[in-house]
Amino acid sequence: MKKLFTPTLFAALLFTAALNVRAQTPRPKTQPPPPKELTVIAPVSVPVDQGRLQDGVYTSDYFGFSFTVKPGWVAMDAATRKAVMESGKAVVQNGAAEQKKAQIDAAMSRTAVLINVSKFDVNAPNAEFNAMLMCLAERVPTAIIKTGEDYLKASMLAFEGTAAKIEMVGVTRAEKLGGVPFTVADMKFTAGPRVIMQRYYVRIANEHVLAFIYSYVDEVDLKIADEMLKTVRFK
């Protein structure tokens, strides 16, 4: 590529790194409970309607889809997302060059995290890994990133020079969510002694990459995420 482009699958990596750390770190019992309603605040540089979560169904009018969140799973509000992201950045950027840190920050400014839902409340202590389903959208230069596979390849290069180790398991493949084609890839993410699996569904839509990403450590959580994605419906 003649033009440098750092994709924001960093967002999924940062959240995964942070949740891995938070699962091992008790929080004070005096911490206030998270808001019951999902609060969405879009970055000013990413003019994307972040959608809404109502009665367990998330809807994005901007990208024209909806899906049902598994009962009991918890949606992160905007303040929690910001705190988790900052924790993840500290993990991933540890020891990285200043240029790489700047690339990560620039990539994040192009991204709207539409929704995060996790198996457990991230504000409550839990020794288990917290499985997570994320949906995000990133504005991309379509002259460079023309397909979901282009985006995934660029993302693999972008992880070089960070404290994270991520590798693709198998090859990319085509699958449909709600009748719409996506490029799918499985990744293995290593953070210290913990090995976490991630599955990425990505497609180009409205000059953005639309991505569904979930992180898990066992087949039970993988099945739950699969069940949620089977409820995806496009208009």
Side-chain angles (χ1 to χ4, degrees):
M1 294 182 182
K2 295 181 179 179
K3 185 176 180 181
L4 179 64
F5 174 67
T6 303
T8 313
L9 284 189
F10 272 121
L13 180 64
L14 298 180
F15 272 95
T16 303
L19 293 183
N20 177 59
V21 172
R22 287 163 75 95
Q24 309 301 323
T25 307
R27 262 75 63 191
K29 294 182 179 180
T30 55
Q31 186 173 13
K36 293 182 179 180
E37 298 296 327
L38 177 67
T39 303
V40 290
I41 302 176
V44 293
S45 59
V46 186
V48 172
D49 176 6
Q50 286 191 283
R52 60 192 180 277
L53 179 65
Q54 184 175 6
D55 298 328
V57 177
Y58 173 78
T59 303
S60 170
D61 294 323
Y62 188 88
F63 291 105
F65 74 89
S66 64
F67 74 94
T68 301
V69 176
K70 180 177 175 59
W73 279 48
V74 183
M76 295 184 199
D77 61 278
T80 300
R81 284 202 306 268
K82 182 178 180 180
V84 172
M85 189 70 74
E86 290 302 316
S87 297
K89 284 175 64 174
V91 174
V92 174
Q93 292 183 336
N94 182 33
E98 291 303 314
Q99 182 180 12
K100 177 60 66 174
K101 293 179 181 179
Q103 289 174 0
I104 295 174
D105 289 338
M108 294 309 304
S109 72
R110 296 191 300 268
T111 300
V113 178
L114 303 181
I115 186 172
N116 289 77
V117 291
S118 55
K119 185 176 182 180
F120 306 114
D121 181 358
V122 299
N123 292 298
N126 196 300
E128 296 182 49
F129 175 74
N130 197 355
M132 178 189 71
L133 173 63
M134 166 192 284
C135 183
L136 62 82
E138 178 184 2
R139 181 91 176 182
V140 295
T142 53
I144 300 174
I145 305 298
K146 299 179 180 180
T147 66
E149 190 167 358
D150 288 342
Y151 185 75
L152 290 166
K153 288 179 178 178
S155 297
M156 296 295 292
L157 293 175
F159 289 129
E160 295 179 358
T162 72
K165 179 182 178 182
I166 187 165
E167 54 191 304
M168 188 175 295
V169 179
V171 296
T172 60
R173 58 195 182 276
E175 293 185 18
K176 290 185 177 181
L177 294 180
V180 173
F182 279 76
T183 300
V184 184
D186 291 303
M187 304 282 190
K188 182 170 73 173
F189 169 56
T190 304
R194 175 84 73 172
V195 176
I196 300 163
M197 298 302 297
Q198 293 184 308
R199 182 165 292 174
Y200 297 79
Y201 286 79
V202 298
R203 73 183 302 263
I204 308 298
N206 295 348
E207 297 186 328
H208 289 74
V209 162
L210 175 66
F212 292 90
I213 304 161
Y214 53 88
S215 304
Y216 63 98
V217 293
D218 57 40
E219 293 298 316
V220 174
D221 288 334
L222 177 59
K223 183 178 180 180
I224 291 172
D226 281 339
E227 290 173 351
M228 279 194 279
L229 289 183
K230 286 178 181 177
T231 70
V232 172
R233 297 290 182 269
F234 281 86
K235 296 179 181 178

